[in-house]
């Protein structure tokens, strides 16, 4: 089964009642305390450090009113123990999934906003090369070289073999799950309020 585009419907991304004007990737630092950083002991006895908090990426969104939102899936490894009930959104195998949606309510939590130190930002919605993938190719796979080139230009390095193999599979999974929810109108059944849990140590 391939990933494809259709012209039968158009959808507008909104936050509450306000349309999203732009979304993209933010790059910077996550203020992780030393005691919250994981280390992995491998089968051969060697130890590998966890992800580098000084080289961190997250999703950013901006509404038409200028309100900025953060969607993050990686800070769980630094003891950011916020998880959401994913099954309600069609991701049944996961049950619960780590996620931080930093909106106006969550920004009221002391020191949370300071955890994310943004150094640069890249628009996805307004990027001309990615727009060409949507407008000129019949399937996302035809435009995959453009997507990989976009990733390398932002990372400022060449993707390794694992990344080149994994990124298309991630995109396939996202398109299949989200695409089915949109075109089968499953999204209309999603809860209006996300169920958030805090995982304690």
């Amino acid at each position: 089964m391939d990933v494809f585009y259709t012209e039968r419907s158009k959808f507008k991304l909104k936050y509450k009642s306000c349309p999203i004007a732009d979304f993209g990737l933010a790059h910077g630092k996550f203020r992780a305390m030393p005691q919250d950083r994981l280390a992995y002991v491998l089968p051969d006895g060697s130890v590998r450090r966890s992800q580098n908090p000084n080289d961190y990426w997250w999703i950013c969104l901006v509404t038409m009113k200028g309100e900025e939102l953060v969607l993050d899936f990686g800070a769980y490894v630094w003891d950011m123990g916020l998880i959401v009930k994913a099954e309600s959104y069609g991701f049944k195998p996961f049950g619960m999934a780590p996620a931080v949606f930093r909106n106006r309510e969550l920004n009221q939590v002391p020191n949370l906003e300071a955890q994310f130190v943004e150094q640069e930002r890249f628009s996805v919605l307004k990027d001309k090369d990615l727009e060409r993938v949507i407008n000129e190719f019949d399937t996302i796979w035809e435009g995959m070289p453009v997507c990989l080139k976009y990733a390398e230009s932002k990372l400022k390095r060449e993707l390794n073999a694992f990344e080149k193999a994994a990124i298309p599979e991630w995109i396939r999974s996202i398109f299949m799950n989200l695409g089915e929810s949109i075109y089968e109108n499953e999204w209309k059944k999603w809860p209006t309020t996300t169920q958030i849990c805090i995982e304690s140590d």
Side-chain angles (χ1 to χ4, degrees):
M1 190 171 186
D2 205 352
V3 174
F4 59 91
Y5 307 113
T6 176
E7 295 181 3
R8 68 175 172 169
S9 301
K10 292 184 178 180
F11 299 88
K12 181 179 290 184
L13 186 63
K14 294 183 177 180
Y15 170 63
K16 298 186 183 293
S17 61
C18 189
I20 297 296
D22 192 17
F23 64 85
L25 301 172
H27 177 234
K29 300 179 181 181
F30 184 87
R31 295 186 185 278
M33 301 300 292
Q35 64 268 26
D36 293 331
R37 297 183 62 179
L38 298 178
Y40 304 100
V41 180
L42 303 181
D44 62 2
S46 62
V47 178
R48 178 180 297 175
R49 292 183 177 182
S50 67
Q51 293 87 333
N52 182 2
N54 295 320
D55 182 17
Y56 192 57
W57 296 80
W58 60 91
I59 299 171
C60 54
L61 305 97
V62 183
T63 70
M64 292 290 289
K65 295 180 179 178
E67 182 176 3
E68 298 200 355
L69 310 163
V70 164
L71 182 59
D72 173 85
F73 302 108
Y76 184 83
V77 298
W78 297 308
D79 206 26
M80 179 66 74
L82 291 177
I83 53 178
V84 299
K85 189 173 183 180
E87 187 174 358
S88 305
Y89 302 95
F91 296 93
K92 295 181 181 179
F94 297 104
M96 305 296 289
V100 177
F101 181 53
R102 210 187 74 201
N103 55 10
R104 68 188 71 162
E105 290 82 14
L106 207 57
N107 275 338
Q108 297 177 11
V109 176
N111 301 320
L112 179 62
E113 188 173 1
Q115 294 290 102
F116 298 85
V117 183
E118 183 178 320
Q119 296 174 324
E120 50 188 345
R121 181 180 297 194
F122 308 100
S123 174
V124 169
L125 184 63
K126 299 178 181 179
D127 186 272
K128 295 300 181 183
D129 289 332
L130 296 182
E131 180 183 345
R132 186 165 61 87
V133 172
I134 299 296
N135 292 332
E136 298 182 13
F137 297 97
D138 293 328
T139 69
I140 188 67
W141 308 119
E142 294 177 61
M144 190 57 64
V146 179
C147 296
L148 297 179
K149 184 178 179 181
Y150 174 87
E152 290 181 333
S153 70
K154 305 315 175 196
L155 290 170
K156 299 181 179 65
R157 63 171 176 81
E158 185 177 347
L159 296 172
N160 60 41
F162 172 79
E163 292 167 331
K164 289 179 179 179
I167 289 176
E169 291 304 315
W170 291 336
I171 293 177
R172 175 188 288 273
S173 176
I174 292 169
F175 265 71
M176 296 302 295
N177 283 282
L178 187 57
E180 182 179 351
S181 296
I182 290 175
Y183 295 117
E184 298 299 327
N185 288 320
E186 291 294 323
W187 64 274
K188 294 181 179 179
K189 303 176 185 178
W190 290 354
T192 55
T193 302
T194 304
Q195 292 181 280
I196 299 176
C197 303
I198 299 176
E199 186 173 79
S200 59
D201 291 334

